[in-house]
Structure formats: C-alpha cells, structure tokens
Amino acid sequence: MQPNRRLIQFAAAFALFALPAAAAEPVTAGPRAGLPEAALSAGIARMASHRAAYRLDLGEARNSGIGAVRGAMVFDIADACEGWATRQRMTMTVTDREGQEIETVSDYATYEAKDNSSLRFSLTQSTQGAVSQRVSGEASLQPDGSGTVRFSEPAGQEETLPPGTLLPMRHTVLAVEAARAGRRILAAPLFDGTTDEGAQDTTTVVTAWTAGAPNPRFPLLDGQAAGQMRIAFFERGAAASGGASQPEYEVGLRYFDNGVADEIVMDFGDFSVTGQALELTPLPGGC
C-alpha cells in the first residue's frame, strides 16, 4: 500500500474563499481576474493571520481497500507586510483492511509576495520515518501571471508557468472577492510548489453562502459569513489536448470571509479524508 501523494499536494494548496449566491459566469484566469484595484486591496487586507489545527479521519473508503485514516494537520499563515508566510505540518497514518499501516509526515513552508510576483517554497515528506520527497525553489511571475519556476530540489530543474497563473494566497483573495461580486466560479492555473512540476488547472465552484452568525467556540469566526465550495484539480492542459476531463482530485471546504476554514473534505476518487478544526487562533502579523 502506498500513501496518496495528492494528500500532500492538497495540504499545501490551502487557500480559497466564500460566496453570495449569484450568476454562474466564471471568473477567468488572470492575476486580477478583472477585479478593480480597490477590491483586490480590500481582499488582501481581509485575510486573517491565524493558526488552524485539524483532526484528520477517513471519510469514504469506496473500493480503495483502506480501513482507517487518522492524523493531524496544523496550518499557520502570517501577514509579513509585503507577503504572506505560511507553514503546514501534517502527520497521517493510513491503515488498510488487513491492518497494515503507512505513516506519512510532511512539512511545507512558503513565502508569497502579495502582488503575485514570487513564491519561495519548501516541502519535505517522510514515509515510515524515511525522507521520500524533497521539493524546494522559487517561482517568479510577470504581471500577466506567466513566469518560471527554478528548483533547488531537484537541482537545476526549471518549469514554465502559463499566463494567468495564480499563487495560493492570490487565488484565495480573488476567489473571495469574485464571490462577493456575485460570481460562483473561478477557473485558473495554480502553482503552489508541492511537486517538481508546474501549474495545475483548477476550477473552484461555490455551492452555498451563509450570513455571519455568533461562534462562541471559535471567536475568529464570530460574525463571519461563510461559503461551501469545491475545488477540482486537473493535469495542466489535459482538457485542451483532448485528454480526460475528470479531475485528479477534489477538495471541499467551508471557508469564512477572512480566509479561515473549519471543515475540509479531500476526495481522491477511491477514498476521501475529512478534516475538522480543533483550534483556530489569531497570529500576530502585519507591518
């Protein structure tokens, strides 16, 4: 039994949005997605520095042969003035129906410029106590979203990013602001540095929106409106080249207006993993 590498990839692409019910026209790719500068600036300011700790459990096993999943994920995001500093640590044990266990541990960190111009990233993944993957490097983007990724691990590797590429937090901001403007779909290539490949195509769809309500358990969410949404991740260019249009994996979340999520469902087709927030606390940040 091998752990699904997409669990690690998802854990990093952890940033999206909320939505009011509205028209179904998509927000097309682009570093600003047609939003005015004032809306973009407001969305950037709205993102909350915080620590989120989640319990991970098996959702649906389907025909995967998986009997149980247990684990934890801690996600930190801090406003670092001109950028966002994030770190995500995840430990997960997958047990098959014969009782065999595989433990996977990942440590992923980024620094993303708020103007979508650069991303420094580092990922170390271990399986059964031995390092199984290292990815690190820096992506540099032009104003139109095109750019280049230069990897330090694997050393010397480079990948080209297509126009319209979004970095993780820019994707979050655009999705929130597009939703607030009455749109339900965001389609764009996304690069997060969780593999030694380039950008993935993504489509994000919002299915529900709820007005803010009291939240005595998590003051960070008190009075915050929230949206249910689902993000589909595709191999880059698969649809355009006549390939399968089925996503490689999908992620469902409940995201609040300040960029904080309290519920996660990671769906890999043959099985899914759920995440429930156990801790949501503010972190210091800003200039």
Side-chain angles (χ1 to χ4, degrees):
M1 179 181 64
Q2 294 295 322
N4 193 314
R5 68 184 292 209
R6 295 303 185 188
L7 287 171
I8 307 303
Q9 286 182 270
F10 160 71
F14 194 54
L16 272 223
F17 70 106
L19 150 109
E25 76 233 48
V27 180
T28 55
R32 285 178 53 180
L35 294 176
E37 188 64 37
L40 183 59
S41 297
I44 290 171
R46 190 176 292 111
M47 298 295 101
S49 295
H50 69 282
R51 169 169 294 166
Y54 302 89
R55 184 189 70 241
L56 303 179
D57 297 290
L58 179 64
E60 295 184 65
R62 303 185 181 114
N63 298 317
S64 65
I66 292 175
V69 172
R70 66 180 187 276
M73 181 169 67
V74 178
F75 178 73
D76 293 348
I77 175 169
D79 187 331
C81 195
E82 298 300 320
W84 289 286
T86 73
R87 186 178 181 190
Q88 180 211 276
R89 290 149 289 171
M90 183 173 71
T91 300
M92 185 169 58
T93 300
V94 178
T95 306
D96 67 16
R97 296 191 186 280
E98 297 179 353
Q100 181 184 7
E101 293 187 344
I102 295 289
E103 182 185 60
T104 300
V105 177
S106 71
D107 192 343
Y108 167 78
T110 69
Y111 177 84
E112 177 183 333
K114 289 183 179 178
D115 62 1
N116 201 61
S117 65
S118 65
L119 179 74
R120 296 197 301 269
F121 55 90
S122 174
L123 169 69
T124 300
Q125 178 182 333
S126 299
T127 304
Q128 299 296 78
V131 173
S132 54
Q133 183 184 23
R134 292 188 192 273
V135 180
S136 62
E138 184 167 3
S140 299
L141 282 70
Q142 301 299 317
D144 69 348
S146 63
T148 302
V149 185
R150 294 178 174 86
F151 292 90
S152 51
E153 292 183 277
Q157 182 172 326
E158 292 190 7
E159 297 289 341
T160 300
L161 299 175
T165 296
L166 303 179
L167 301 175
M169 287 301 298
R170 173 57 65 97
H171 185 273
T172 301
V173 171
L174 288 183
V176 170
E177 291 309 305
R180 291 167 62 87
R183 301 184 178 98
R184 292 188 300 177
I185 300 173
L186 172 66
L190 174 67
F191 178 76
D192 58 24
T194 57
T195 73
D196 57 2
E197 301 171 2
Q200 284 183 283
D201 287 336
T202 66
T203 299
T204 303
V205 179
V206 178
T207 58
W209 173 259
T210 305
N215 194 318
R217 184 184 180 194
F218 298 129
L220 192 62
L221 305 181
D222 190 52
Q224 295 282 327
Q228 296 284 350
M229 62 87 179
R230 195 166 183 90
I231 317 158
F233 294 79
F234 301 86
E235 181 183 354
R236 176 68 188 156
S241 62
S245 59
Q246 284 293 106
E248 293 188 300
Y249 61 104
E250 296 181 85
V251 178
L253 306 98
R254 179 166 69 177
Y255 255 89
F256 289 76
D257 225 6
N258 55 2
V260 180
D262 69 340
E263 298 175 358
I264 313 165
V265 178
M266 299 171 273
D267 192 334
F268 303 97
D270 51 358
F271 74 105
S272 64
V273 175
T274 64
Q276 290 290 328
L278 301 179
E279 174 189 349
L280 295 172
T281 57
L283 292 178
C287 300

